Amino acid sequence: AYAPVDGPVRQLHLMQAAARKVPGEALQVELQTTVNSVPVELSVHGEPPGDAQPETPWKISLSGTAGDISLRAEGKLADPRNWRQGDYRLAIEGRHLNKLATLFGHSLTGSAPYELGATIRFDLDEYLTVSDFSAQVGDSDVTGNLHWDMRTSLPAITLRLASQQLDRGDFGFDGTATDTGDEQLSDVLEKPFDIRAITATNLDAEIRIQRLEGFANSMQDLALSVHAGRQQLKLAGAGALLNDVLIGTDARLPWGEKLTALAPEQAKLHVLLQHADLDMHARFPKAGLQYSTGTPGRPLQLTIASLEASARPDSAVEVTAIASLNGQALTAQLFAEPLGTLLQQPTGPWEALQLEAKGADIHVK
């Protein structure tokens, strides 16, 4: 039994192990264990090269079960004395996702059936490649590939993921909205997190989801790109709510060496946001976002066609709305305190707010 720092306890109990190898026959290894109280049985079959082709790689196949989990792997091993390189096809399936999490000592409430498959090639001194990755969890699906180049001074990771449908309910999240109080939000902003491992890489990631379910508003045609280097992290996202609201965001945050200079020990979310350049927009191409008020005899009908917001380090947060008031065009701008100041009191009270609205027959400031 052992536990990593700040990690869950993992327990292994080995009941039986057997290995057989005789000249002219394949290597056979069988194990019976329990891992975190989950019974695990593994069988490894290793076929060495024949005498006629002694330089060909070993053929390795592995099959096993862990609770309701079924595991299969087939591959090639150029040198059986060097397991740091290989070429394998991996397939995992099971009836309950939470059983897979239990095996590795984590908690997951998702109970949907799942299937995972991938081709994995690696030389741990040079590269790791995951191709033809596919996952089906309940009604959710993910496909993609990953390449990790370890030969450069700053390891380079390229990731591509795509999904036709992703529902967080398949992973055990019911999507119920919860109220986040001032103290809870402050805890999130102030909680330190160690990201030195991922800031020491060049990251190029693209994620595309055709339909995202499990939130208050479903989204479609979601696209997210992430580019990270020695100094900066760039995020770009775009998508549409199912009622045709188009949204998008761009963010540039300190990263790597720059983030380490700002937070030498552990980074906090508010440090990232205080030094970030943020741009967001929302557009309502059909009927717009409508709001009605006033007395029956003097109604006020406000329709917002688009919203844009931007935040720069040490500059006022700016929000611009293109709208119409009772059919007359209107542009409204809201200026707030810098984002770093707002984060100190995320739910208010706020000061130094300015609002200006301009239209053909109205100018309010």
Side-chain angles (χ1 to χ4, degrees), residues 28-33 35 38-45 60-74 89-95 100 103 114 116:
Q28 297 280 353
V29 178
E30 296 180 355
L31 299 175
Q32 292 184 9
T33 72
V35 179
V38 177
V40 176
E41 294 187 5
L42 294 176
S43 176
V44 180
H45 179 96
I60 304 294
S61 62
L62 180 149
S63 61
T65 60
D68 70 353
I69 303 167
S70 173
L71 168 68
R72 301 186 309 277
E74 295 182 355
R89 178 64 192 176
L90 179 67
I92 301 174
E93 61 181 56
R95 296 189 298 274
L100 181 63
L103 183 65
Y114 60 91
L116 307 175

PDB file of all heavy atoms in Angstrom, residues 28-33 35 38-45 60-74 89-95 100 103 114 116:
ATOM      1  N   GLN A  28       4.951 -17.020 -21.238  1.00  0.00           N
ATOM      2  CA  GLN A  28       3.623 -16.893 -20.643  1.00  0.00           C
ATOM      3  C   GLN A  28       3.775 -16.356 -19.219  1.00  0.00           C
ATOM      4  O   GLN A  28       4.548 -16.888 -18.425  1.00  0.00           O
ATOM      5  CB  GLN A  28       2.912 -18.257 -20.589  1.00  0.00           C
ATOM      6  CG  GLN A  28       2.637 -18.881 -21.944  1.00  0.00           C
ATOM      7  CD  GLN A  28       1.404 -18.279 -22.602  1.00  0.00           C
ATOM      8  OE1 GLN A  28       0.691 -17.502 -21.997  1.00  0.00           O
ATOM      9  NE2 GLN A  28       1.169 -18.652 -23.842  1.00  0.00           N
ATOM     10  N   VAL A  29       3.023 -15.296 -18.919  1.00  0.00           N
ATOM     11  CA  VAL A  29       3.002 -14.727 -17.567  1.00  0.00           C
ATOM     12  C   VAL A  29       1.544 -14.557 -17.155  1.00  0.00           C
ATOM     13  O   VAL A  29       0.734 -14.013 -17.925  1.00  0.00           O
ATOM     14  CB  VAL A  29       3.736 -13.375 -17.505  1.00  0.00           C
ATOM     15  CG1 VAL A  29       3.654 -12.787 -16.091  1.00  0.00           C
ATOM     16  CG2 VAL A  29       5.188 -13.511 -17.934  1.00  0.00           C
ATOM     17  N   GLU A  30       1.207 -15.018 -15.959  1.00  0.00           N
ATOM     18  CA  GLU A  30      -0.154 -14.881 -15.436  1.00  0.00           C
ATOM     19  C   GLU A  30      -0.094 -14.312 -14.020  1.00  0.00           C
ATOM     20  O   GLU A  30       0.740 -14.733 -13.204  1.00  0.00           O
ATOM     21  CB  GLU A  30      -0.876 -16.229 -15.435  1.00  0.00           C
ATOM     22  CG  GLU A  30      -1.089 -16.793 -16.841  1.00  0.00           C
ATOM     23  CD  GLU A  30      -1.811 -18.131 -16.824  1.00  0.00           C
ATOM     24  OE1 GLU A  30      -2.042 -18.652 -15.706  1.00  0.00           O
ATOM     25  OE2 GLU A  30      -2.113 -18.646 -17.915  1.00  0.00           O
ATOM     26  N   LEU A  31      -0.990 -13.355 -13.737  1.00  0.00           N
ATOM     27  CA  LEU A  31      -1.032 -12.709 -12.434  1.00  0.00           C
ATOM     28  C   LEU A  31      -2.470 -12.695 -11.918  1.00  0.00           C
ATOM     29  O   LEU A  31      -3.410 -12.460 -12.701  1.00  0.00           O
ATOM     30  CB  LEU A  31      -0.523 -11.265 -12.516  1.00  0.00           C
ATOM     31  CG  LEU A  31       0.921 -11.039 -12.972  1.00  0.00           C
ATOM     32  CD1 LEU A  31       1.201  -9.552 -13.119  1.00  0.00           C
ATOM     33  CD2 LEU A  31       1.886 -11.650 -11.981  1.00  0.00           C
ATOM     34  N   GLN A  32      -2.641 -12.925 -10.629  1.00  0.00           N
ATOM     35  CA  GLN A  32      -3.920 -12.750  -9.950  1.00  0.00           C
ATOM     36  C   GLN A  32      -3.684 -11.832  -8.754  1.00  0.00           C
ATOM     37  O   GLN A  32      -2.917 -12.154  -7.850  1.00  0.00           O
ATOM     38  CB  GLN A  32      -4.478 -14.093  -9.478  1.00  0.00           C
ATOM     39  CG  GLN A  32      -4.899 -15.020 -10.610  1.00  0.00           C
ATOM     40  CD  GLN A  32      -5.533 -16.292 -10.094  1.00  0.00           C
ATOM     41  OE1 GLN A  32      -5.804 -16.423  -8.911  1.00  0.00           O
ATOM     42  NE2 GLN A  32      -5.768 -17.238 -10.995  1.00  0.00           N
ATOM     43  N   THR A  33      -4.318 -10.681  -8.772  1.00  0.00           N
ATOM     44  CA  THR A  33      -4.110  -9.678  -7.726  1.00  0.00           C
ATOM     45  C   THR A  33      -5.429  -9.010  -7.380  1.00  0.00           C
ATOM     46  O   THR A  33      -6.451  -9.239  -8.039  1.00  0.00           O
ATOM     47  CB  THR A  33      -3.128  -8.593  -8.196  1.00  0.00           C
ATOM     48  OG1 THR A  33      -3.786  -7.768  -9.166  1.00  0.00           O
ATOM     49  CG2 THR A  33      -1.881  -9.188  -8.818  1.00  0.00           C
ATOM     50  N   VAL A  35      -6.402  -4.848  -6.723  1.00  0.00           N
ATOM     51  CA  VAL A  35      -5.926  -3.470  -6.719  1.00  0.00           C
ATOM     52  C   VAL A  35      -7.053  -2.605  -6.178  1.00  0.00           C
ATOM     53  O   VAL A  35      -8.132  -2.540  -6.784  1.00  0.00           O
ATOM     54  CB  VAL A  35      -5.510  -3.007  -8.128  1.00  0.00           C
ATOM     55  CG1 VAL A  35      -5.032  -1.560  -8.086  1.00  0.00           C
ATOM     56  CG2 VAL A  35      -4.419  -3.914  -8.688  1.00  0.00           C
ATOM     57  N   VAL A  38     -10.257  -4.344  -5.955  1.00  0.00           N
ATOM     58  CA  VAL A  38     -10.835  -4.802  -7.219  1.00  0.00           C
ATOM     59  C   VAL A  38     -10.029  -6.010  -7.694  1.00  0.00           C
ATOM     60  O   VAL A  38      -8.807  -5.911  -7.856  1.00  0.00           O
ATOM     61  CB  VAL A  38     -10.813  -3.694  -8.288  1.00  0.00           C
ATOM     62  CG1 VAL A  38     -11.349  -4.222  -9.616  1.00  0.00           C
ATOM     63  CG2 VAL A  38     -11.604  -2.485  -7.827  1.00  0.00           C
ATOM     64  N   PRO A  39     -10.659  -7.179  -7.915  1.00  0.00           N
ATOM     65  CA  PRO A  39      -9.907  -8.339  -8.401  1.00  0.00           C
ATOM     66  C   PRO A  39      -9.397  -8.108  -9.821  1.00  0.00           C
ATOM     67  O   PRO A  39     -10.129  -7.658 -10.694  1.00  0.00           O
ATOM     68  CB  PRO A  39     -10.933  -9.473  -8.356  1.00  0.00           C
ATOM     69  CG  PRO A  39     -12.265  -8.794  -8.392  1.00  0.00           C
ATOM     70  CD  PRO A  39     -12.097  -7.482  -7.702  1.00  0.00           C
ATOM     71  N   VAL A  40      -8.114  -8.435 -10.035  1.00  0.00           N
ATOM     72  CA  VAL A  40      -7.470  -8.202 -11.324  1.00  0.00           C
ATOM     73  C   VAL A  40      -6.770  -9.485 -11.751  1.00  0.00           C
ATOM     74  O   VAL A  40      -6.029 -10.088 -10.957  1.00  0.00           O
ATOM     75  CB  VAL A  40      -6.440  -7.053 -11.244  1.00  0.00           C
ATOM     76  CG1 VAL A  40      -5.716  -6.889 -12.579  1.00  0.00           C
ATOM     77  CG2 VAL A  40      -7.112  -5.760 -10.838  1.00  0.00           C
ATOM     78  N   GLU A  41      -7.016  -9.898 -12.985  1.00  0.00           N
ATOM     79  CA  GLU A  41      -6.323 -11.048 -13.567  1.00  0.00           C
ATOM     80  C   GLU A  41      -5.704 -10.620 -14.893  1.00  0.00           C
ATOM     81  O   GLU A  41      -6.389 -10.029 -15.735  1.00  0.00           O
ATOM     82  CB  GLU A  41      -7.286 -12.220 -13.781  1.00  0.00           C
ATOM     83  CG  GLU A  41      -7.832 -12.819 -12.490  1.00  0.00           C
ATOM     84  CD  GLU A  41      -8.648 -14.071 -12.730  1.00  0.00           C
ATOM     85  OE1 GLU A  41      -8.696 -14.523 -13.908  1.00  0.00           O
ATOM     86  OE2 GLU A  41      -9.231 -14.605 -11.772  1.00  0.00           O
ATOM     87  N   LEU A  42      -4.421 -10.921 -15.075  1.00  0.00           N
ATOM     88  CA  LEU A  42      -3.710 -10.540 -16.288  1.00  0.00           C
ATOM     89  C   LEU A  42      -2.982 -11.743 -16.865  1.00  0.00           C
ATOM     90  O   LEU A  42      -2.449 -12.573 -16.118  1.00  0.00           O
ATOM     91  CB  LEU A  42      -2.691  -9.436 -15.994  1.00  0.00           C
ATOM     92  CG  LEU A  42      -3.227  -8.066 -15.563  1.00  0.00           C
ATOM     93  CD1 LEU A  42      -2.066  -7.135 -15.234  1.00  0.00           C
ATOM     94  CD2 LEU A  42      -4.101  -7.465 -16.648  1.00  0.00           C
ATOM     95  N   SER A  43      -2.965 -11.807 -18.189  1.00  0.00           N
ATOM     96  CA  SER A  43      -2.234 -12.851 -18.886  1.00  0.00           C
ATOM     97  C   SER A  43      -1.426 -12.204 -20.006  1.00  0.00           C
ATOM     98  O   SER A  43      -1.983 -11.474 -20.840  1.00  0.00           O
ATOM     99  CB  SER A  43      -3.202 -13.888 -19.464  1.00  0.00           C
ATOM    100  OG  SER A  43      -2.503 -14.861 -20.225  1.00  0.00           O
ATOM    101  N   VAL A  44      -0.111 -12.463 -20.006  1.00  0.00           N
ATOM    102  CA  VAL A  44       0.782 -11.883 -21.006  1.00  0.00           C
ATOM    103  C   VAL A  44       1.370 -13.007 -21.844  1.00  0.00           C
ATOM    104  O   VAL A  44       1.850 -14.015 -21.312  1.00  0.00           O
ATOM    105  CB  VAL A  44       1.909 -11.070 -20.338  1.00  0.00           C
ATOM    106  CG1 VAL A  44       2.833 -10.466 -21.400  1.00  0.00           C
ATOM    107  CG2 VAL A  44       1.332  -9.977 -19.449  1.00  0.00           C
ATOM    108  N   HIS A  45       1.326 -12.818 -23.156  1.00  0.00           N
ATOM    109  CA  HIS A  45       1.851 -13.795 -24.101  1.00  0.00           C
ATOM    110  C   HIS A  45       2.930 -13.098 -24.921  1.00  0.00           C
ATOM    111  O   HIS A  45       2.653 -12.116 -25.612  1.00  0.00           O
ATOM    112  CB  HIS A  45       0.722 -14.301 -25.020  1.00  0.00           C
ATOM    113  CG  HIS A  45       1.163 -15.287 -26.045  1.00  0.00           C
ATOM    114  ND1 HIS A  45       1.050 -16.648 -25.870  1.00  0.00           N
ATOM    115  CD2 HIS A  45       1.725 -15.117 -27.268  1.00  0.00           C
ATOM    116  CE1 HIS A  45       1.498 -17.268 -26.951  1.00  0.00           C
ATOM    117  NE2 HIS A  45       1.914 -16.352 -27.805  1.00  0.00           N
ATOM    118  N   ILE A  60       3.859  -9.126 -28.556  1.00  0.00           N
ATOM    119  CA  ILE A  60       3.344  -9.143 -27.190  1.00  0.00           C
ATOM    120  C   ILE A  60       1.824  -8.996 -27.218  1.00  0.00           C
ATOM    121  O   ILE A  60       1.283  -8.141 -27.932  1.00  0.00           O
ATOM    122  CB  ILE A  60       3.934  -7.998 -26.354  1.00  0.00           C
ATOM    123  CG1 ILE A  60       5.461  -8.057 -26.354  1.00  0.00           C
ATOM    124  CG2 ILE A  60       3.408  -8.025 -24.927  1.00  0.00           C
ATOM    125  CD1 ILE A  60       6.031  -9.256 -25.658  1.00  0.00           C
ATOM    126  N   SER A  61       1.130  -9.828 -26.484  1.00  0.00           N
ATOM    127  CA  SER A  61      -0.318  -9.667 -26.313  1.00  0.00           C
ATOM    128  C   SER A  61      -0.637  -9.784 -24.833  1.00  0.00           C
ATOM    129  O   SER A  61      -0.037 -10.579 -24.105  1.00  0.00           O
ATOM    130  CB  SER A  61      -1.091 -10.719 -27.115  1.00  0.00           C
ATOM    131  OG  SER A  61      -0.787 -12.023 -26.664  1.00  0.00           O
ATOM    132  N   LEU A  62      -1.563  -8.959 -24.394  1.00  0.00           N
ATOM    133  CA  LEU A  62      -1.982  -8.935 -23.002  1.00  0.00           C
ATOM    134  C   LEU A  62      -3.496  -8.931 -22.952  1.00  0.00           C
ATOM    135  O   LEU A  62      -4.152  -8.200 -23.706  1.00  0.00           O
ATOM    136  CB  LEU A  62      -1.413  -7.705 -22.297  1.00  0.00           C
ATOM    137  CG  LEU A  62      -1.753  -7.500 -20.814  1.00  0.00           C
ATOM    138  CD1 LEU A  62      -0.602  -6.778 -20.106  1.00  0.00           C
ATOM    139  CD2 LEU A  62      -3.033  -6.672 -20.636  1.00  0.00           C
ATOM    140  N   SER A  63      -4.046  -9.721 -22.092  1.00  0.00           N
ATOM    141  CA  SER A  63      -5.490  -9.715 -21.874  1.00  0.00           C
ATOM    142  C   SER A  63      -5.738  -9.829 -20.381  1.00  0.00           C
ATOM    143  O   SER A  63      -4.912 -10.370 -19.630  1.00  0.00           O
ATOM    144  CB  SER A  63      -6.166 -10.872 -22.612  1.00  0.00           C
ATOM    145  OG  SER A  63      -5.672 -12.127 -22.134  1.00  0.00           O
ATOM    146  N   GLY A  64      -6.852  -9.289 -19.946  1.00  0.00           N
ATOM    147  CA  GLY A  64      -7.129  -9.356 -18.524  1.00  0.00           C
ATOM    148  C   GLY A  64      -8.461  -8.755 -18.169  1.00  0.00           C
ATOM    149  O   GLY A  64      -9.167  -8.175 -19.011  1.00  0.00           O
ATOM    150  N   THR A  65      -8.816  -8.907 -16.918  1.00  0.00           N
ATOM    151  CA  THR A  65     -10.046  -8.333 -16.382  1.00  0.00           C
ATOM    152  C   THR A  65      -9.713  -7.674 -15.049  1.00  0.00           C
ATOM    153  O   THR A  65      -8.804  -8.086 -14.326  1.00  0.00           O
ATOM    154  CB  THR A  65     -11.115  -9.407 -16.163  1.00  0.00           C
ATOM    155  OG1 THR A  65     -10.631 -10.396 -15.242  1.00  0.00           O
ATOM    156  CG2 THR A  65     -11.504 -10.080 -17.469  1.00  0.00           C
ATOM    157  N   ALA A  66     -10.485  -6.641 -14.724  1.00  0.00           N
ATOM    158  CA  ALA A  66     -10.384  -5.964 -13.436  1.00  0.00           C
ATOM    159  C   ALA A  66     -11.806  -5.595 -13.033  1.00  0.00           C
ATOM    160  O   ALA A  66     -12.360  -4.614 -13.535  1.00  0.00           O
ATOM    161  CB  ALA A  66      -9.501  -4.731 -13.534  1.00  0.00           C
ATOM    162  N   GLY A  67     -12.395  -6.406 -12.175  1.00  0.00           N
ATOM    163  CA  GLY A  67     -13.813  -6.204 -11.892  1.00  0.00           C
ATOM    164  C   GLY A  67     -14.604  -6.434 -13.154  1.00  0.00           C
ATOM    165  O   GLY A  67     -14.503  -7.487 -13.794  1.00  0.00           O
ATOM    166  N   ASP A  68     -15.396  -5.423 -13.569  1.00  0.00           N
ATOM    167  CA  ASP A  68     -16.160  -5.557 -14.816  1.00  0.00           C
ATOM    168  C   ASP A  68     -15.409  -4.963 -16.010  1.00  0.00           C
ATOM    169  O   ASP A  68     -15.975  -4.800 -17.083  1.00  0.00           O
ATOM    170  CB  ASP A  68     -17.533  -4.897 -14.665  1.00  0.00           C
ATOM    171  CG  ASP A  68     -17.456  -3.371 -14.582  1.00  0.00           C
ATOM    172  OD1 ASP A  68     -16.328  -2.840 -14.503  1.00  0.00           O
ATOM    173  OD2 ASP A  68     -18.508  -2.726 -14.586  1.00  0.00           O
ATOM    174  N   ILE A  69     -14.130  -4.658 -15.823  1.00  0.00           N
ATOM    175  CA  ILE A  69     -13.321  -4.049 -16.875  1.00  0.00           C
ATOM    176  C   ILE A  69     -12.615  -5.140 -17.673  1.00  0.00           C
ATOM    177  O   ILE A  69     -12.043  -6.072 -17.105  1.00  0.00           O
ATOM    178  CB  ILE A  69     -12.273  -3.093 -16.269  1.00  0.00           C
ATOM    179  CG1 ILE A  69     -12.958  -2.017 -15.429  1.00  0.00           C
ATOM    180  CG2 ILE A  69     -11.416  -2.458 -17.358  1.00  0.00           C
ATOM    181  CD1 ILE A  69     -11.997  -1.240 -14.555  1.00  0.00           C
ATOM    182  N   SER A  70     -12.647  -5.008 -18.987  1.00  0.00           N
ATOM    183  CA  SER A  70     -11.952  -5.920 -19.872  1.00  0.00           C
ATOM    184  C   SER A  70     -10.834  -5.164 -20.576  1.00  0.00           C
ATOM    185  O   SER A  70     -11.048  -4.069 -21.107  1.00  0.00           O
ATOM    186  CB  SER A  70     -12.920  -6.510 -20.905  1.00  0.00           C
ATOM    187  OG  SER A  70     -12.230  -7.275 -21.869  1.00  0.00           O
ATOM    188  N   LEU A  71      -9.632  -5.732 -20.575  1.00  0.00           N
ATOM    189  CA  LEU A  71      -8.461  -5.080 -21.148  1.00  0.00           C
ATOM    190  C   LEU A  71      -7.813  -5.990 -22.179  1.00  0.00           C
ATOM    191  O   LEU A  71      -7.633  -7.184 -21.935  1.00  0.00           O
ATOM    192  CB  LEU A  71      -7.452  -4.752 -20.039  1.00  0.00           C
ATOM    193  CG  LEU A  71      -6.043  -4.322 -20.472  1.00  0.00           C
ATOM    194  CD1 LEU A  71      -6.098  -2.961 -21.147  1.00  0.00           C
ATOM    195  CD2 LEU A  71      -5.107  -4.279 -19.265  1.00  0.00           C
ATOM    196  N   ARG A  72      -7.462  -5.406 -23.327  1.00  0.00           N
ATOM    197  CA  ARG A  72      -6.735  -6.134 -24.368  1.00  0.00           C
ATOM    198  C   ARG A  72      -5.643  -5.231 -24.930  1.00  0.00           C
ATOM    199  O   ARG A  72      -5.883  -4.038 -25.164  1.00  0.00           O
ATOM    200  CB  ARG A  72      -7.668  -6.575 -25.508  1.00  0.00           C
ATOM    201  CG  ARG A  72      -8.801  -7.475 -25.087  1.00  0.00           C
ATOM    202  CD  ARG A  72      -9.584  -7.968 -26.301  1.00  0.00           C
ATOM    203  NE  ARG A  72      -9.992  -6.880 -27.174  1.00  0.00           N
ATOM    204  CZ  ARG A  72     -11.065  -6.134 -26.989  1.00  0.00           C
ATOM    205  NH1 ARG A  72     -11.829  -6.320 -25.912  1.00  0.00           N
ATOM    206  NH2 ARG A  72     -11.381  -5.183 -27.833  1.00  0.00           N
ATOM    207  N   ALA A  73      -4.474  -5.790 -25.153  1.00  0.00           N
ATOM    208  CA  ALA A  73      -3.382  -5.032 -25.755  1.00  0.00           C
ATOM    209  C   ALA A  73      -2.557  -5.966 -26.615  1.00  0.00           C
ATOM    210  O   ALA A  73      -2.275  -7.099 -26.229  1.00  0.00           O
ATOM    211  CB  ALA A  73      -2.511  -4.380 -24.683  1.00  0.00           C
ATOM    212  N   GLU A  74      -2.176  -5.472 -27.787  1.00  0.00           N
ATOM    213  CA  GLU A  74      -1.308  -6.215 -28.686  1.00  0.00           C
ATOM    214  C   GLU A  74      -0.256  -5.267 -29.224  1.00  0.00           C
ATOM    215  O   GLU A  74      -0.544  -4.095 -29.501  1.00  0.00           O
ATOM    216  CB  GLU A  74      -2.106  -6.828 -29.849  1.00  0.00           C
ATOM    217  CG  GLU A  74      -3.113  -7.881 -29.419  1.00  0.00           C
ATOM    218  CD  GLU A  74      -3.839  -8.489 -30.599  1.00  0.00           C
ATOM    219  OE1 GLU A  74      -3.618  -8.002 -31.729  1.00  0.00           O
ATOM    220  OE2 GLU A  74      -4.612  -9.432 -30.394  1.00  0.00           O
ATOM    221  N   ARG A  89      -1.446  -1.638 -29.485  1.00  0.00           N
ATOM    222  CA  ARG A  89      -2.856  -1.301 -29.698  1.00  0.00           C
ATOM    223  C   ARG A  89      -3.603  -1.687 -28.429  1.00  0.00           C
ATOM    224  O   ARG A  89      -3.551  -2.843 -27.993  1.00  0.00           O
ATOM    225  CB  ARG A  89      -3.444  -2.045 -30.900  1.00  0.00           C
ATOM    226  CG  ARG A  89      -4.936  -1.768 -31.145  1.00  0.00           C
ATOM    227  CD  ARG A  89      -5.180  -0.324 -31.502  1.00  0.00           C
ATOM    228  NE  ARG A  89      -6.618   0.009 -31.453  1.00  0.00           N
ATOM    229  CZ  ARG A  89      -7.112   1.216 -31.637  1.00  0.00           C
ATOM    230  NH1 ARG A  89      -6.280   2.219 -31.891  1.00  0.00           N
ATOM    231  NH2 ARG A  89      -8.403   1.451 -31.582  1.00  0.00           N
ATOM    232  N   LEU A  90      -4.283  -0.718 -27.820  1.00  0.00           N
ATOM    233  CA  LEU A  90      -4.913  -0.900 -26.520  1.00  0.00           C
ATOM    234  C   LEU A  90      -6.425  -0.765 -26.644  1.00  0.00           C
ATOM    235  O   LEU A  90      -6.924   0.127 -27.337  1.00  0.00           O
ATOM    236  CB  LEU A  90      -4.366   0.143 -25.535  1.00  0.00           C
ATOM    237  CG  LEU A  90      -4.918   0.134 -24.110  1.00  0.00           C
ATOM    238  CD1 LEU A  90      -4.482  -1.130 -23.385  1.00  0.00           C
ATOM    239  CD2 LEU A  90      -4.434   1.376 -23.359  1.00  0.00           C
ATOM    240  N   ALA A  91      -7.167  -1.637 -25.961  1.00  0.00           N
ATOM    241  CA  ALA A  91      -8.638  -1.560 -25.932  1.00  0.00           C
ATOM    242  C   ALA A  91      -9.108  -1.864 -24.514  1.00  0.00           C
ATOM    243  O   ALA A  91      -8.683  -2.854 -23.910  1.00  0.00           O
ATOM    244  CB  ALA A  91      -9.251  -2.545 -26.923  1.00  0.00           C
ATOM    245  N   ILE A  92      -9.981  -1.020 -23.978  1.00  0.00           N
ATOM    246  CA  ILE A  92     -10.552  -1.181 -22.640  1.00  0.00           C
ATOM    247  C   ILE A  92     -12.057  -0.985 -22.741  1.00  0.00           C
ATOM    248  O   ILE A  92     -12.523  -0.073 -23.435  1.00  0.00           O
ATOM    249  CB  ILE A  92      -9.962  -0.171 -21.645  1.00  0.00           C
ATOM    250  CG1 ILE A  92      -8.443  -0.327 -21.542  1.00  0.00           C
ATOM    251  CG2 ILE A  92     -10.580  -0.323 -20.258  1.00  0.00           C
ATOM    252  CD1 ILE A  92      -7.788   0.743 -20.692  1.00  0.00           C
ATOM    253  N   GLU A  93     -12.823  -1.815 -22.052  1.00  0.00           N
ATOM    254  CA  GLU A  93     -14.266  -1.615 -22.000  1.00  0.00           C
ATOM    255  C   GLU A  93     -14.798  -2.107 -20.663  1.00  0.00           C
ATOM    256  O   GLU A  93     -14.182  -2.936 -19.984  1.00  0.00           O
ATOM    257  CB  GLU A  93     -14.968  -2.345 -23.148  1.00  0.00           C
ATOM    258  CG  GLU A  93     -14.785  -3.845 -23.153  1.00  0.00           C
ATOM    259  CD  GLU A  93     -15.488  -4.493 -24.333  1.00  0.00           C
ATOM    260  OE1 GLU A  93     -15.192  -4.099 -25.486  1.00  0.00           O
ATOM    261  OE2 GLU A  93     -16.330  -5.378 -24.085  1.00  0.00           O
ATOM    262  N   GLY A  94     -15.921  -1.530 -20.268  1.00  0.00           N
ATOM    263  CA  GLY A  94     -16.527  -1.908 -19.001  1.00  0.00           C
ATOM    264  C   GLY A  94     -17.952  -1.405 -18.911  1.00  0.00           C
ATOM    265  O   GLY A  94     -18.411  -0.613 -19.740  1.00  0.00           O
ATOM    266  N   ARG A  95     -18.652  -1.861 -17.899  1.00  0.00           N
ATOM    267  CA  ARG A  95     -20.072  -1.511 -17.756  1.00  0.00           C
ATOM    268  C   ARG A  95     -20.296  -0.272 -16.899  1.00  0.00           C
ATOM    269  O   ARG A  95     -21.317   0.385 -17.024  1.00  0.00           O
ATOM    270  CB  ARG A  95     -20.837  -2.692 -17.147  1.00  0.00           C
ATOM    271  CG  ARG A  95     -20.861  -3.935 -18.027  1.00  0.00           C
ATOM    272  CD  ARG A  95     -21.812  -4.984 -17.482  1.00  0.00           C
ATOM    273  NE  ARG A  95     -21.416  -5.450 -16.164  1.00  0.00           N
ATOM    274  CZ  ARG A  95     -20.544  -6.432 -15.948  1.00  0.00           C
ATOM    275  NH1 ARG A  95     -19.954  -7.020 -16.976  1.00  0.00           N
ATOM    276  NH2 ARG A  95     -20.236  -6.820 -14.730  1.00  0.00           N
ATOM    277  N   LEU A 100     -13.671   1.946 -13.139  1.00  0.00           N
ATOM    278  CA  LEU A 100     -12.347   2.263 -13.671  1.00  0.00           C
ATOM    279  C   LEU A 100     -11.647   3.260 -12.757  1.00  0.00           C
ATOM    280  O   LEU A 100     -10.445   3.143 -12.494  1.00  0.00           O
ATOM    281  CB  LEU A 100     -12.478   2.836 -15.081  1.00  0.00           C
ATOM    282  CG  LEU A 100     -11.170   3.200 -15.799  1.00  0.00           C
ATOM    283  CD1 LEU A 100     -10.319   1.973 -16.015  1.00  0.00           C
ATOM    284  CD2 LEU A 100     -11.464   3.900 -17.118  1.00  0.00           C
ATOM    285  N   LEU A 103     -10.293   1.616  -9.561  1.00  0.00           N
ATOM    286  CA  LEU A 103      -9.074   0.853  -9.803  1.00  0.00           C
ATOM    287  C   LEU A 103      -7.833   1.715  -9.629  1.00  0.00           C
ATOM    288  O   LEU A 103      -6.804   1.250  -9.135  1.00  0.00           O
ATOM    289  CB  LEU A 103      -9.116   0.251 -11.210  1.00  0.00           C
ATOM    290  CG  LEU A 103      -7.947  -0.642 -11.614  1.00  0.00           C
ATOM    291  CD1 LEU A 103      -7.916  -1.896 -10.770  1.00  0.00           C
ATOM    292  CD2 LEU A 103      -8.047  -0.982 -13.100  1.00  0.00           C
ATOM    293  N   TYR A 114     -18.632   2.045 -21.082  1.00  0.00           N
ATOM    294  CA  TYR A 114     -17.619   2.777 -21.824  1.00  0.00           C
ATOM    295  C   TYR A 114     -16.756   1.818 -22.627  1.00  0.00           C
ATOM    296  O   TYR A 114     -16.630   0.633 -22.318  1.00  0.00           O
ATOM    297  CB  TYR A 114     -16.731   3.590 -20.868  1.00  0.00           C
ATOM    298  CG  TYR A 114     -15.999   2.735 -19.867  1.00  0.00           C
ATOM    299  CD1 TYR A 114     -14.725   2.241 -20.145  1.00  0.00           C
ATOM    300  CD2 TYR A 114     -16.578   2.397 -18.656  1.00  0.00           C
ATOM    301  CE1 TYR A 114     -14.058   1.430 -19.247  1.00  0.00           C
ATOM    302  CE2 TYR A 114     -15.916   1.589 -17.747  1.00  0.00           C
ATOM    303  CZ  TYR A 114     -14.662   1.115 -18.046  1.00  0.00           C
ATOM    304  OH  TYR A 114     -14.014   0.312 -17.150  1.00  0.00           O
ATOM    305  N   LEU A 116     -12.808   2.245 -24.702  1.00  0.00           N
ATOM    306  CA  LEU A 116     -11.660   3.074 -25.032  1.00  0.00           C
ATOM    307  C   LEU A 116     -10.723   2.286 -25.936  1.00  0.00           C
ATOM    308  O   LEU A 116     -10.525   1.086 -25.734  1.00  0.00           O
ATOM    309  CB  LEU A 116     -10.892   3.494 -23.768  1.00  0.00           C
ATOM    310  CG  LEU A 116     -11.671   4.168 -22.642  1.00  0.00           C
ATOM    311  CD1 LEU A 116     -10.758   4.379 -21.435  1.00  0.00           C
ATOM    312  CD2 LEU A 116     -12.241   5.484 -23.096  1.00  0.00           C
TER     313      LEU A 116
END
